[in-house]
Amino acid sequence: MITDTSTPSGGYSRPDIDVRALTQVLDGEYAEIRELVRTNLVKHASVLEEAEELDIEAFRERVRELAVALAATGQTGMGFPKEYGGGGDIGASIAAFETLAFGDLSLLVKVGVQFGLFGGAILHLGTERHHRAYLPDLITGKLLGCFAMTETGHGSNVQALGTVATYDADSQEFVITTQGEGARKDYIGNAARHAELAVVFAQLEVGGRAEGVHAFVVPVRVDGAPAPGVRIEDAGRKMGLNGVDNGRIWFDGVRVPREALLNRFADVTPEGVYESPIENPGRRFFTMLGTLVQGRVSVGGGAINAAKVALAIAVKYAVRRRQFDAAPDTEEQLLLDYGMHQRRLLPLVARTYALHFAQDVVRTQLHEVFSTETGDEQERRELESRAAGTKALGTWHATRTIQECREACGGAGYLAVNRFAALKADSDVFTTFEGDNHVLLQLVAKGLLTNYAHEFEDMDQLGMVRFVTGQAVETVIEKTSVHKLLERVRDLLPGGDEWDQEAGLLDSEYQLAMVRFREEHMLAGLARRLKRGMDQEREPGAVFSHVQDHVIAVARVHVERLVLEAFVDRLRTLPDDDNKVALGLLCDLFALSTIEADRAWFMEHGRLTVQRSKAISREINDLCRKVRPLAVDLVDAWGIPPEMLRSPDLVG
Amino acid sequence: MITDTSTPSGGYSRPDIDVRALTQVLDGEYAEIRELVRTNLVKHASVLEEAEELDIEAFRERVRELAVALAATGQTGMGFPKEYGGGGDIGASIAAFETLAFGDLSLLVKVGVQFGLFGGAILHLGTERHHRAYLPDLITGKLLGCFAMTETGHGSNVQALGTVATYDADSQEFVITTQGEGARKDYIGNAARHAELAVVFAQLEVGGRAEGVHAFVVPVRVDGAPAPGVRIEDAGRKMGLNGVDNGRIWFDGVRVPREALLNRFADVTPEGVYESPIENPGRRFFTMLGTLVQGRVSVGGGAINAAKVALAIAVKYAVRRRQFDAAPDTEEQLLLDYGMHQRRLLPLVARTYALHFAQDVVRTQLHEVFSTETGDEQERRELESRAAGTKALGTWHATRTIQECREACGGAGYLAVNRFAALKADSDVFTTFEGDNHVLLQLVAKGLLTNYAHEFEDMDQLGMVRFVTGQAVETVIEKTSVHKLLERVRDLLPGGDEWDQEAGLLDSEYQLAMVRFREEHMLAGLARRLKRGMDQEREPGAVFSHVQDHVIAVARVHVERLVLEAFVDRLRTLPDDDNKVALGLLCDLFALSTIEADRAWFMEHGRLTVQRSKAISREINDLCRKVRPLAVDLVDAWGIPPEMLRSPDLVG
């Protein structure tokens, strides 16, 4: 062994990780449901092979069958009220979904479509009549449904969708019609084969008046055949997730009773009078959409756990595989003893831990907001923003991590018998569905610029531009949620060029101050650019296009700040033991890697000297060497059932 | 349209691209063979659908059939001597391969295995007796073979492989045996079904003496069944490239006649005397491996063209797809009019052009070295280094570009009917096969540190460490090929902090000076770190591990310098017309994007002020806006047959 354990110096002694205890920290309050899911994963482990052995139709049936089998264990119904057969615990439902992501991702997405999207829409947009009618059978999987929102012509711009639902007061029915080819419902999971019902989002028209997007329960299949007026097309083979039957749906004057409107936030009287407790149409729309936030929380958490599977395989392979002579007459060196290999994998392990704890926070907030009907607007908007941001960073992290791990496992990683082929193909679309990541980050930035003020909820990006530029820059900054950070940062970090020379790189207050400063500065800069742009060019579209990369960057650094805070906050709650020491190394590695990746920005903005920037890179290499001997314990602590690694060539 | 064409200022007028003429520039001297390949691609366009419709066995047969059909047109035999039925033009054979990469990549790799690896080994490692016996049937595809080098236990470390070929002087035969499970041949294309012959790399033992790795022609299949003593296993389903029948091979005392040794560089007399014109065993080994450089040149060029397909689809989609309102009562804005979307795609277009011209250089060098038997050692080593580096950068570029383009096409990009699913899955392994990219970049760095001195050819990385550290740092720098750059850079760029304030960002001399300085500085720094590490730690393995990321970084910046030089050099040869103006924009965009991506390093090393760094980012946004209206012409000029885009949902 030529691993130079000698390098770390200065009172450091290698922590001895208690893997079991670390798993308990990670599983948190949802250990029980996670264990149930792990048991179910192992029981149905054959699905990993079936995913490649069965043809598409047979695999779709198998996945449906498994989703129903999981439902019988209670695993998939945790988010529904107990009175209808659910578990009455939204947080647990998310934890169950996250854990399921260790296994086949078609099954994960099938479960997400049925119980999350379809079930969630019935639950959150419907009222008691819908709950009574559908929830009991939906929870057992006896009644399958789909969530028909996305259209070909409007992927991310839901407000502009083209399906129309016209109220016919004579028959007391809604007439649902696909207006134009761009308005066909597209990529709809569960649609091609299994759904009997669809929750259809359509522009409601009552008495000739457009009332905006609303959701309706529409039967799309009767005895296995499309319902009258409904046309369904199979979306066909996809890059991955072929156990999910995605399809397209057209509606040709399909009539549903007045009661089919999911009427929690708006209703139409038999006589044809539109009523809603929320007056502002934009606010009403975003309130409806907001109830669907759990989908984003679920996908983000699932992606983070899919990344764990890839990292567990790559790390275990790297402590088994030798390559090239270390020295004459010795064994070849283990891959993970190479500095480059450490640099490739270990910061990703650290970021995965960081995102895990960030996901804990967003899951807890979701649980709190949805478990009480009293949650205020501001809280909901902050939750939506955090969910969008965590989803974006988590899914990009999964794509990047799975790719890096595949490459780090060489040719063996390319064989389908090892898990990367499925992981990569199945997880690819996570960056797109439940909201395209770039669109989501724009949402996050909008929230920051307007401080989630509900009067601006209905603003699109151009409304946001006009709002921001309609007032003094100082007012914008004053209004932003970041403003309060500014003072904190200033207290911590005295000004001048030498401001950061005193703090230690491994001081989490220093690390936090850096990412807080970055966020505050970038947001204020964005507000100034928007204002200047409008002053000069006066065309909001062009102004927005001009600064769009800045908008995305602001959102990204905001979410990274939240992620680091989540990690630091969690660390502070832990007892002083070796596990905490190990997590502390990971937290430092994550924080410094984040700063290093953006070190050009910090130098450009006078917050990092050249010397200190180089010191950060050296410190990261040092941290990698410290984490190296802990790596296997750290990935074992994720508690991935060994059957899920399914890489006989790689981990034995 | 709110594209602000107004922004570019200062005497700039938008060039009017002559697409046909630009295609001629890109096709260069190989326009004819490229046209033949394009015709063949269109003729067999159905293979793109067949790749997903046929089961694995049927698709493998189809791909074999197509490879033979292509052979009949002369497309695949360009690299073989005319006397055996080839085209006698190595450059043309690479150009044909590159162009074939617009189509299905299983077919590409099947062609590469048969005509490049197997055929290339017979041609370059064999002598007339092998040429006469095999080339005529090999060129027509009547005789199929495989290239059995890689082993399970030694992916990239060929020198250490475990298959043994012992000379039996009594029978005048070699006895070939797989010694240990790690020595099985693995991932061998053409092995699972089609190969009759294998070129097998094994440790030669003559009279009890180990003579190192040599290649032998071994029949592996007779009348469709494995030959006696040969065991073959199907590698099974892969992430992609499922039209190629990869397999594993074991040899159990398989006897082949003495003449089966591919004896261009070494032979064994009937009596059992080992003879070689190359005395040094290491040098002999690398000379043999060196003849296989065309595989790397082919893969690099293929990857660059696969990236073109993805970009062509994404750019065409982005000028068709609208998303979100630009302004009230107007159409939604085209994706490519968004600043972020320009930033995502257009620098990738620029980098693709740059890599195209870099590939032209390496192809030309390959042609020159292999078309004359007189090429000197130094030239060959430089070619090998350039081929390795271009392969690494080209294949990573493909992986990154295909991913970015898929995401930029949203959910439609995920459907198999559009091309990303296949492109992504099939191209994924390009970063690994024909040499893992990280291993290749280490090879590049070794060449730089030792100035390709042939006495150091047989050094592994630790030998390199010892060599470099065995002398004064100045000597190392003196010896490096970068040294000569140093003076050039110093002439151009006077010292001091203000050194770069005078030159314009769009001055290619400035851009070149920047990337040359970076290379020289990083290489000298690496030499110093190696020496200091040895002085302090004395363990070459640990020293190397410590600086490995620096080693990889040096190689990367070296190759980027070569790529930029290739682009600038090519530009200088072009007539002053609008096409040159357009290419000039791309060259600037590539150069500045490259500097921007590493701007932290430039600031850390005093070669970029904060102001100038920010100016570069602004200039890049400006260049993106200038390239925006040219984008479709620029991707059309690649001459990808429309049938190959195969994205009905995306480009119509």
Side-chain angles (χ1 to χ4, degrees):
Chain A
M1 275 288 293
I2 57 156
T3 320
D4 50 279
T5 47
S6 60
T7 312
S9 59
Y12 170 79
S13 77
R14 183 200 297 182
D16 190 9
I17 293 180
D18 179 341
V19 173
R20 221 182 134 79
L22 186 51
T23 302
Q24 281 168 358
V25 167
L26 294 167
D27 281 1
E29 58 186 309
Y30 298 114
E32 196 181 338
I33 184 75
R34 291 191 199 272
E35 274 312 305
L36 171 64
V37 177
R38 287 185 178 107
T39 306
N40 287 339
L41 282 170
V42 173
K43 187 171 168 192
H44 303 297
S46 64
V47 67
L48 297 177
E49 282 84 48
E50 288 155 357
E52 74 200 48
E53 286 162 8
L54 298 177
D55 67 29
I56 287 194
E57 287 308 322
F59 187 51
R60 285 171 168 183
E61 288 310 314
R62 177 70 178 138
V63 166
R64 185 193 57 75
E65 185 183 299
L66 283 173
V68 173
L70 295 182
T73 71
Q75 165 187 332
T76 59
M78 293 305 295
F80 297 101
K82 287 188 175 173
E83 57 198 293
Y84 299 111
D89 186 336
I90 291 181
S93 82
I94 305 293
F97 188 87
E98 291 164 1
T99 311
L100 189 60
F102 289 151
D104 178 76
L105 299 179
S106 281
L107 180 55
L108 180 82
V109 171
K110 188 80 172 179
V111 163
V113 166
Q114 166 70 14
F115 304 101
L117 292 176
F118 171 60
I122 299 284
L123 177 64
H124 297 301
L125 299 179
T127 51
E128 208 201 336
R129 69 178 185 229
H130 306 106
H131 297 170
R132 267 189 288 111
Y134 305 122
L135 287 185
D137 282 353
L138 180 168
I139 292 170
T140 62
K142 191 179 161 198
L143 170 69
L144 298 180
C146 64
F147 181 80
M149 176 187 274
T150 301
E151 296 180 357
T152 306
H154 298 279
S156 294
N157 192 358
V158 175
Q159 231 167 342
L161 55 76
T163 303
V164 175
T166 310
Y167 185 63
D168 175 359
D170 294 340
S171 64
Q172 299 191 11
E173 290 173 325
F174 294 102
V175 186
I176 298 179
T177 302
T178 301
Q179 293 208 336
E181 194 54 12
R184 68 177 189 189
K185 297 297 178 182
D186 210 344
Y187 317 112
I188 309 301
N190 246 355
R193 285 292 171 277
H194 295 141
E196 284 181 65
L197 289 186
V199 170
V200 177
F201 289 80
Q203 303 286 356
L204 171 61
E205 288 185 11
V206 185
R209 227 179 98 99
E211 300 291 357
V213 173
H214 291 69
F216 305 82
V217 182
V218 183
V220 288
R221 204 171 256 114
V222 181
D223 296 332
V230 174
R231 184 155 67 90
I232 301 177
E233 191 177 278
D234 197 323
R237 184 180 282 278
K238 305 184 296 290
M239 185 183 294
L241 299 180
N242 280 303
V244 183
D245 53 318
N246 293 75
R248 305 183 182 103
I249 316 178
W250 292 256
F251 301 94
D252 182 10
V254 173
R255 290 184 167 261
V256 292
R258 190 183 64 90
E259 292 78 11
L261 174 66
L262 291 173
N263 61 336
R264 177 165 166 204
F265 298 109
D267 209 345
V268 175
T269 66
E271 300 73 29
V273 178
Y274 179 81
E275 295 175 337
S276 170
I278 308 175
E279 264 183 50
N280 181 310
R283 199 177 150 204
R284 192 186 309 132
F285 173 74
F286 282 104
T287 302
M288 288 187 203
L289 278 198
T291 59
L292 307 171
V293 64
Q294 71 178 58
R296 286 177 187 161
V297 176
S298 301
V299 168
I304 294 162
N305 274 7
K308 288 179 190 168
V309 176
L311 277 168
I313 298 169
V315 164
K316 284 164 183 282
Y317 178 69
V319 295
R320 210 174 153 239
R321 175 76 173 183
R322 297 180 181 278
Q323 189 73 285
F324 290 105
D325 296 334
D329 309 317
T330 65
E331 271 193 301
E332 290 180 304
Q333 192 166 343
L334 289 170
L335 282 183
L336 202 55
D337 289 328
Y338 283 101
M340 187 72 201
H341 216 80
Q342 293 171 6
R343 265 277 187 173
R344 289 170 80 177
L345 296 183
L346 300 181
L348 293 175
V349 171
R351 193 174 176 91
T352 303
Y353 266 86
L355 286 164
H356 176 105
F357 292 121
Q359 173 71 10
D360 280 348
V361 173
V362 72
R363 187 194 328 99
T364 302
Q365 286 188 358
L366 178 80
H367 183 80
E368 282 165 8
V369 165
F370 278 78
S371 298
T372 57
E373 290 293 320
T374 55
D376 74 1
E377 286 293 309
Q378 175 88 5
E379 262 177 40
R380 284 181 180 260
R381 297 297 160 265
E382 286 189 26
L383 165 64
E384 284 162 25
S385 170
R386 189 185 277 266
T390 309
K391 186 270 184 184
L393 264 63
T395 55
W396 270 327
H397 175 68
T399 297
R400 174 182 159 209
T401 299
I402 292 166
Q403 182 65 32
E404 192 66 52
C405 291
R406 200 297 290 160
E407 293 182 33
C409 289
Y414 196 62
L415 301 182
V417 70
N418 303 311
R419 268 208 74 186
F420 293 108
L423 268 179
K424 184 172 157 168
D426 290 342
S427 68
D428 176 86
V429 79
F430 285 23
T431 55
T432 298
F433 69 16
E434 295 292 323
D436 173 86
N437 282 359
H438 282 102
V439 175
L440 291 181
L441 288 184
Q442 286 172 209
L443 186 81
V444 171
K446 192 186 99 178
L448 290 173
L449 282 164
T450 60
N451 200 21
Y452 313 102
H454 64 75
E455 63 262 45
F456 306 111
E457 261 156 32
D458 55 340
M459 288 186 324
D460 59 11
Q461 60 212 12
L462 302 182
M464 184 264 287
V465 170
R466 280 186 218 100
F467 163 67
V468 169
T469 55
Q471 44 195 298
V473 170
E474 290 64 34
T475 316
V476 173
I477 296 167
E478 190 70 39
K479 271 185 184 284
T480 66
S481 64
V482 196
H483 178 65
K484 56 181 182 279
L485 290 176
L486 186 59
E487 295 306 312
R488 262 208 273 173
V489 172
R490 293 220 171 110
D491 288 350
L492 252 165
L493 305 167
D497 282 349
E498 301 304 311
W499 72 292
D500 65 348
Q501 296 303 303
E502 298 300 313
L505 295 180
L506 303 182
D507 176 349
S508 57
E509 285 305 324
Y510 163 74
Q511 298 159 0
L512 285 167
M514 288 288 276
V515 298
R516 285 168 179 159
F517 172 83
R518 177 178 61 162
E519 178 181 354
E520 184 272 335
H521 194 286
M522 283 179 78
L523 185 61
L526 174 60
R528 277 188 208 96
R529 283 185 69 190
L530 283 170
K531 188 163 174 61
R532 200 166 55 227
M534 284 293 275
D535 289 349
Q536 290 167 357
E537 305 189 32
R538 322 183 67 88
E539 209 330 10
V543 172
F544 180 79
S545 172
H546 229 91
V547 301
Q548 194 187 14
D549 58 337
H550 198 151
V551 170
I552 301 284
V554 163
R556 185 181 58 76
V557 302
H558 166 71
V559 185
E560 277 188 342
R561 189 258 297 173
L562 295 181
V563 173
L564 180 58
E565 285 181 348
F567 204 157
V568 171
D569 288 349
R570 187 74 177 92
L571 264 184
R572 286 180 181 150
T573 66
L574 296 178
D576 286 323
D577 58 15
D578 276 22
N579 281 3
K580 184 176 186 169
V581 174
L583 289 176
L585 294 174
L586 289 179
C587 190
D588 286 333
L589 182 52
F590 167 66
L592 294 183
S593 303
T594 300
I595 294 169
E596 185 192 47
D598 227 1
R599 67 195 201 280
W601 188 92
F602 285 107
M603 284 188 277
E604 284 169 357
H605 295 84
R607 284 300 168 263
L608 200 56
T609 63
V610 163
Q611 291 317 315
R612 199 162 172 88
S613 176
K614 292 179 179 173
I616 285 175
S617 294
R618 281 193 303 273
E619 187 67 53
I620 290 171
N621 286 340
D622 228 46
L623 285 165
C624 283
R625 283 189 287 273
K626 286 179 179 164
V627 171
R628 155 70 184 90
L630 314 176
V632 172
D633 283 348
L634 289 169
V635 301
D636 279 345
W638 289 328
I640 305 167
E643 293 84 350
M644 296 301 106
L645 300 184
R646 199 210 169 203
S647 298
D649 300 337
L650 297 168
V651 299
Chain B
M1 272 290 291
I2 58 156
T3 319
D4 50 277
T5 48
S6 58
T7 312
S9 60
Y12 170 79
S13 76
R14 184 200 296 182
D16 189 10
I17 293 180
D18 179 340
V19 174
R20 221 182 133 80
L22 186 51
T23 302
Q24 282 168 359
V25 168
L26 293 167
D27 281 0
E29 58 186 308
Y30 298 114
E32 196 180 337
I33 184 75
R34 291 191 200 270
E35 274 311 306
L36 171 63
V37 176
R38 287 186 179 107
T39 306
N40 288 338
L41 281 170
V42 173
K43 188 170 167 193
H44 303 298
S46 64
V47 68
L48 297 178
E49 281 85 48
E50 289 156 356
E52 73 200 49
E53 285 162 8
L54 298 177
D55 67 29
I56 287 194
E57 286 309 321
F59 187 52
R60 285 171 168 182
E61 288 311 314
R62 177 69 179 140
V63 166
R64 185 193 57 74
E65 185 183 299
L66 284 174
V68 173
L70 294 183
T73 71
Q75 166 188 331
T76 61
M78 292 305 296
F80 297 101
K82 287 189 175 172
E83 57 198 293
Y84 299 110
D89 186 336
I90 291 181
S93 81
I94 305 292
F97 188 87
E98 292 164 3
T99 311
L100 189 59
F102 289 150
D104 178 76
L105 298 178
S106 281
L107 180 55
L108 179 83
V109 171
K110 188 82 173 179
V111 162
V113 166
Q114 166 70 14
F115 304 101
L117 291 175
F118 171 61
I122 299 283
L123 177 66
H124 297 301
L125 300 178
T127 53
E128 207 202 337
R129 68 178 184 228
H130 306 107
H131 297 171
R132 267 190 288 111
Y134 305 122
L135 287 185
D137 282 353
L138 180 168
I139 292 170
T140 61
K142 190 178 159 198
L143 173 68
L144 298 180
C146 64
F147 181 80
M149 176 186 274
T150 301
E151 296 181 357
T152 306
H154 299 279
S156 293
N157 191 359
V158 175
Q159 231 166 341
L161 55 78
T163 303
V164 175
T166 312
Y167 185 65
D168 175 359
D170 294 340
S171 63
Q172 299 191 13
E173 290 173 324
F174 294 101
V175 186
I176 297 180
T177 302
T178 301
Q179 292 209 336
E181 194 55 13
R184 69 178 189 188
K185 297 296 180 182
D186 210 344
Y187 317 111
I188 309 300
N190 245 357
R193 284 292 171 274
H194 296 141
E196 284 182 64
L197 288 186
V199 171
V200 178
F201 289 80
Q203 303 286 357
L204 173 60
E205 288 185 11
V206 186
R209 228 180 96 99
E211 301 290 358
V213 173
H214 291 69
F216 305 82
V217 182
V218 183
V220 288
R221 203 172 258 116
V222 181
D223 296 332
V230 174
R231 184 155 68 89
I232 301 177
E233 191 177 279
D234 196 325
R237 183 180 284 276
K238 305 184 295 293
M239 185 184 295
L241 299 179
N242 280 303
V244 183
D245 53 319
N246 293 76
R248 307 183 179 101
I249 316 179
W250 292 257
F251 301 95
D252 181 12
V254 174
R255 289 183 167 263
V256 293
R258 191 183 64 91
E259 293 78 12
L261 174 66
L262 291 173
N263 62 336
R264 177 163 166 205
F265 297 109
D267 210 346
V268 176
T269 67
E271 300 73 29
V273 178
Y274 179 80
E275 294 176 337
S276 170
I278 309 175
E279 266 184 49
N280 180 311
R283 198 177 151 205
R284 192 186 308 131
F285 172 74
F286 282 104
T287 303
M288 289 187 202
L289 278 199
T291 59
L292 306 171
V293 64
Q294 69 180 61
R296 286 176 187 161
V297 177
S298 300
V299 169
I304 295 161
N305 275 6
K308 288 179 190 168
V309 176
L311 277 168
I313 296 169
V315 164
K316 285 165 182 281
Y317 178 68
V319 295
R320 209 173 154 240
R321 175 76 174 184
R322 297 180 182 277
Q323 190 73 285
F324 290 106
D325 296 335
D329 308 316
T330 66
E331 271 193 302
E332 289 181 304
Q333 192 166 343
L334 288 171
L335 282 183
L336 203 55
D337 289 328
Y338 282 102
M340 187 72 200
H341 216 79
Q342 294 171 7
R343 264 277 187 173
R344 290 170 80 178
L345 296 183
L346 301 180
L348 294 175
V349 171
R351 193 173 175 92
T352 303
Y353 266 86
L355 285 164
H356 176 105
F357 293 120
Q359 173 71 10
D360 281 350
V361 173
V362 71
R363 187 194 328 99
T364 302
Q365 286 188 358
L366 177 81
H367 183 81
E368 281 166 7
V369 165
F370 278 77
S371 298
T372 57
E373 290 293 321
T374 56
D376 73 2
E377 287 292 309
Q378 174 90 5
E379 263 176 38
R380 283 181 181 262
R381 297 297 161 266
E382 286 189 23
L383 165 63
E384 284 161 26
S385 170
R386 189 184 277 267
T390 310
K391 187 269 183 185
L393 265 62
T395 55
W396 271 326
H397 175 68
T399 297
R400 176 183 158 207
T401 299
I402 292 166
Q403 182 65 32
E404 192 67 51
C405 290
R406 200 297 290 159
E407 293 183 31
C409 290
Y414 196 63
L415 301 182
V417 70
N418 303 311
R419 267 208 74 185
F420 293 108
L423 268 179
K424 183 171 157 168
D426 290 342
S427 68
D428 177 86
V429 79
F430 285 23
T431 55
T432 298
F433 69 15
E434 295 293 321
D436 172 86
N437 283 358
H438 283 102
V439 174
L440 291 181
L441 288 184
Q442 285 172 208
L443 186 82
V444 171
K446 192 186 98 177
L448 290 174
L449 282 164
T450 60
N451 201 20
Y452 314 101
H454 65 75
E455 64 262 43
F456 305 111
E457 262 158 32
D458 56 340
M459 287 187 325
D460 59 12
Q461 59 211 13
L462 302 183
M464 184 264 288
V465 172
R466 280 186 218 98
F467 163 67
V468 169
T469 56
Q471 45 195 296
V473 170
E474 290 63 36
T475 318
V476 174
I477 296 167
E478 191 69 40
K479 270 184 183 287
T480 66
S481 63
V482 195
H483 178 67
K484 56 181 181 278
L485 289 177
L486 185 59
E487 295 306 311
R488 261 209 272 174
V489 173
R490 293 221 171 110
D491 288 351
L492 251 164
L493 305 167
D497 283 348
E498 300 305 309
W499 73 290
D500 65 349
Q501 296 303 307
E502 297 302 313
L505 295 179
L506 303 183
D507 177 351
S508 58
E509 285 305 324
Y510 163 73
Q511 297 159 1
L512 285 167
M514 288 288 276
V515 297
R516 284 167 180 159
F517 172 84
R518 178 178 61 162
E519 178 181 355
E520 185 270 335
H521 194 286
M522 284 179 77
L523 186 60
L526 174 60
R528 277 187 208 98
R529 284 185 69 190
L530 283 170
K531 188 162 173 62
R532 200 166 51 226
M534 284 293 274
D535 289 350
Q536 290 168 355
E537 306 189 32
R538 321 182 69 88
E539 208 331 8
V543 172
F544 180 79
S545 171
H546 228 92
V547 301
Q548 194 186 13
D549 58 336
H550 198 151
V551 170
I552 302 284
V554 163
R556 184 180 59 77
V557 302
H558 166 72
V559 185
E560 277 188 342
R561 190 257 297 171
L562 296 180
V563 173
L564 180 58
E565 284 182 350
F567 203 158
V568 171
D569 288 350
R570 188 73 178 94
L571 264 184
R572 286 181 181 146
T573 66
L574 295 178
D576 288 323
D577 57 15
D578 276 20
N579 282 2
K580 184 176 185 168
V581 173
L583 288 177
L585 293 174
L586 290 178
C587 190
D588 287 332
L589 182 53
F590 167 67
L592 294 184
S593 303
T594 300
I595 294 169
E596 184 193 46
D598 228 0
R599 67 195 201 280
W601 188 91
F602 286 106
M603 285 188 276
E604 284 169 357
H605 295 84
R607 282 300 169 265
L608 201 56
T609 62
V610 163
Q611 291 317 314
R612 200 161 171 90
S613 177
K614 292 179 180 174
I616 285 175
S617 295
R618 281 193 302 273
E619 188 64 53
I620 290 171
N621 287 340
D622 227 47
L623 285 165
C624 283
R625 283 188 286 274
K626 284 179 180 164
V627 171
R628 156 70 185 89
L630 314 175
V632 172
D633 283 349
L634 288 169
V635 301
D636 279 345
W638 290 329
I640 306 167
E643 292 84 349
M644 296 301 106
L645 300 184
R646 199 212 168 201
S647 298
D649 300 338
L650 297 168
V651 299

